[in-house]
Amino acid sequence: GYLRLGRAYLATGQSEAALGALRKAVDLNPYYWYNHDQLGLAFYRMGRNKEGLAEFKNAADSNPNNATEYNRIGATYFRMGRLQDSIEQFKKVIKLQPSADAYTNLGTAYFDLARYREAIVNFKKAAQMNDKNVLYMSNLAEAYKQAGQGDEAAKANAEAIRLAYEQLQVNPQDSATMGELAMCYAHQGELEKAAEFARRARTID
């Protein structure tokens, strides 16, 4: 009950009331990992990274085979600029529950460390696991570009653009895909098209 109340407060922007309810849930049962997870998620959404990290670690200690907690810990470390620590956590996620998102997260951490070849390996795995995702293909294109593999970058970027238009045929109001398409055009230097799709995306959302 307190968990649901806390989430309801959080959804309506009542941050302190949300934390109060979620802390009450933890106080009532500090041994249930999910209570710590939800309190940590509230802290994370408020930008209170250190407090969120402590709760995620508590959740992981109570439920060490739950890949979600290591992903949350990794994301928090990433946000804090502790990229090597985030890499260690994302590797745990992949070991427990490999997914396209997990490989993308690991690739992004490598990318931000300018370790582009390792980023390519992980972005490629993500794109292979979900070959319809524009973002995964766009990430791969940018990693190729930064690694100096221009031809491969162009191919991947063209594929990302093709996928974006394919998705927009299904849902012409998909603002997220429009934003990704804008980035694809920016990557290949077509800035007017990039700006146009960015504007269209912001008009929708």
Side-chain angles (χ1 to χ4, degrees):
Y2 280 109
L3 284 178
R4 294 190 184 100
L5 181 60
R7 287 196 292 262
Y9 277 133
L10 192 63
T12 56
Q14 300 179 66
S15 299
E16 290 307 315
L19 291 177
L22 294 168
R23 284 188 175 117
K24 181 68 174 177
V26 170
D27 290 342
L28 287 170
N29 188 352
Y31 304 106
Y32 183 36
W33 67 271
Y34 191 64
N35 292 340
H36 291 284
D37 172 82
Q38 292 299 289
L39 178 57
L41 198 56
F43 280 129
Y44 182 85
R45 288 174 178 169
M46 294 175 196
R48 294 167 62 170
N49 298 320
K50 289 183 179 180
E51 293 159 295
L53 183 62
E55 295 302 326
F56 293 147
K57 286 182 176 180
N58 279 331
D61 288 342
S62 300
N63 192 13
N65 292 319
N66 188 341
T68 297
E69 294 311 317
Y70 299 115
N71 192 59
R72 297 203 202 286
I73 294 170
T76 307
Y77 278 139
F78 185 89
R79 182 190 274 183
M80 296 168 74
R82 296 171 59 177
L83 298 180
Q84 191 57 50
D85 288 327
S86 76
I87 285 171
E88 292 174 9
Q89 298 301 315
F90 293 143
K91 284 182 176 179
K92 289 181 182 178
V93 176
I94 289 170
K95 185 176 181 180
L96 287 169
Q97 190 176 326
S99 68
D101 280 344
Y103 282 113
T104 294
N105 290 341
L106 181 57
T108 301
Y110 280 130
F111 185 93
D112 281 18
L113 284 170
R115 294 165 62 175
Y116 299 122
R117 295 191 182 281
E118 289 159 295
I120 288 169
V121 169
N122 287 280
F123 287 151
K124 189 181 290 185
K125 286 181 179 178
Q128 288 169 345
M129 292 180 80
N130 185 345
D131 60 5
K132 300 296 183 184
N133 190 291
V134 180
L135 178 61
Y136 298 161
M137 192 59 66
S138 177
N139 284 343
L140 179 58
E142 187 62 10
Y144 276 134
K145 180 180 178 181
Q146 295 300 328
Q149 299 182 44
D151 290 344
E152 292 300 325
K155 290 177 186 176
N157 201 60
E159 176 62 10
I161 290 172
R162 186 192 70 77
L163 289 172
Y165 278 112
E166 189 176 85
Q167 291 181 22
L168 288 173
Q169 286 182 341
V170 176
N171 180 8
Q173 300 299 306
D174 185 346
S175 61
T177 296
M178 285 184 192
E180 291 161 6
L181 182 56
M183 290 302 297
C184 291
Y185 278 125
H187 288 163
Q188 64 186 32
E190 296 188 54
L191 301 185
E192 288 187 9
K193 281 187 177 180
E196 174 60 24
F197 277 103
R199 281 193 294 269
R200 287 173 58 183
R202 293 185 65 182
T203 299
I204 296 167
D205 184 0

